[in-house]
Amino acid sequence: MGSGRLYAAVAAGGFRRYATYRTATAAGVFTNTVFGVILVCTYLALWDVKPDLGGYDRAQAVTYVWLGQAMFSTLAIQGGGVERELMERIRTGAIAVDLYRPVDLQLWWLASDMGRALFQLLGRGVVPFVFGALFFPVALPGDVGTWAAFGVALVLAMAVSFGIRYLAALSVFWLLDGIGVGQALMVTGVFCSGLTLPLNVFPGGLGEVVRVLPWAAQLQVPADVLMGETAPLSAFAFQAAWAVVLLAAGRLVQSAATRRVVVQGG
């Protein structure tokens, strides 16, 4: 099997794997929808007090909320993607088997995570977003070009998300446990991606810092592309730069970590 077909098969396998958890998916759709309604009500109250906060009007603020709920599991913003399994395989020593496979370790996990992300987008993200568009005022583009640009931004956001989580998972080679790393992923994901509040709302130097961190490429940048608040090409360049940096760093750390593998317990 050619390498391209191999990783496509891995991605398809990741999609099918998550598609088997139908009850969990339905519960996730319900949860994201309920949280979306709660956040929309909170945002509307906030925007009543401070209209045009962060450069968004009320409809844009509502749109941002539903995008966040649609992309929450897609991008594993709080963690919960393939990095959990990878951390466990490193902790138990099962990663030694993976290293014997005639495949690229990073590309294997990237393909699997892309399959997972695609299912989460379709299975868990679309319904809350459509619900929000039907029952709340939203600011959505009417031209195909903007939607296409958003699609590109979303794929790049997936790559950046994987890059962050892959580096976190590799740290278990030294830490020997992923619990603390998982908690750090959850905190930084919620705060730095803009899931709680748009990053353009953050004041002063704090706002300037969070908007150039890689987490901004996950939610804030795709949202601004969809709502016409940023030029697509500059957004793509920002996301692609972080994707390259993170994936390259992951490859370097992977090389250092696997140069001498000690399986726990022997």
Side-chain angles (χ1 to χ4, degrees), residues 101-237:
R101 292 173 178 164
V103 296
D104 184 275
L105 184 69
Q106 187 185 50
L107 289 178
W108 175 282
W109 287 102
L110 174 60
S112 180
D113 197 60
M114 285 295 186
R116 177 207 61 81
L118 180 59
F119 172 75
Q120 295 288 20
L121 175 65
L122 299 177
R124 184 168 171 174
V126 170
V127 173
F129 187 78
V130 171
F131 174 88
L134 290 175
F135 293 98
F136 294 91
V138 292
L140 298 178
D143 60 294
V144 176
T146 302
W147 283 104
F150 172 70
V152 174
L154 182 55
V155 172
L156 290 171
M158 293 177 184
V160 172
S161 172
F162 171 79
I164 294 171
R165 291 179 287 111
Y166 189 69
L167 279 170
L170 291 178
S171 69
V172 179
F173 274 108
W174 291 274
L175 299 176
L176 305 182
D177 188 90
I179 295 177
V181 178
Q183 293 295 318
L185 277 177
M186 180 178 68
V187 173
T188 55
V190 171
F191 183 78
C192 296
S193 71
L195 184 65
T196 304
L197 278 174
L199 298 182
N200 53 19
V201 172
F202 285 36
L206 176 61
E208 294 177 3
V209 170
V210 294
R211 285 191 289 271
V212 298
L213 294 177
W215 290 273
Q218 293 181 275
L219 177 56
Q220 185 68 59
V221 172
D224 283 341
V225 168
L226 183 65
M227 294 187 291
E229 290 295 317
T230 188
L233 291 181
S234 62
F236 299 160

Side-chain angles (χ1 to χ4, degrees), residues 91-103:
R91 187 188 70 81
T92 61
I95 191 67
V97 177
D98 299 339
L99 294 174
Y100 272 106
R101 292 173 178 164
V103 296

Side-chain angles (χ1 to χ4, degrees), residues 18-81:
Y18 280 83
T20 60
Y21 301 108
R22 298 174 184 174
T23 302
T25 300
V29 169
F30 177 78
T31 301
N32 285 129
T33 303
V34 171
F35 270 95
V37 172
I38 294 172
L39 282 174
V40 164
C41 293
T42 304
Y43 271 40
L44 289 177
L46 180 59
W47 258 256
D48 282 341
V49 177
K50 290 186 173 293
D52 298 320
L53 181 63
Y56 287 167
D57 59 26
R58 286 165 58 90
Q60 288 175 315
V62 171
T63 304
Y64 187 91
V65 169
W66 292 113
L67 276 176
Q69 294 307 304
M71 297 166 66
F72 175 77
S73 293
T74 302
L75 301 178
I77 290 176
Q78 281 190 316

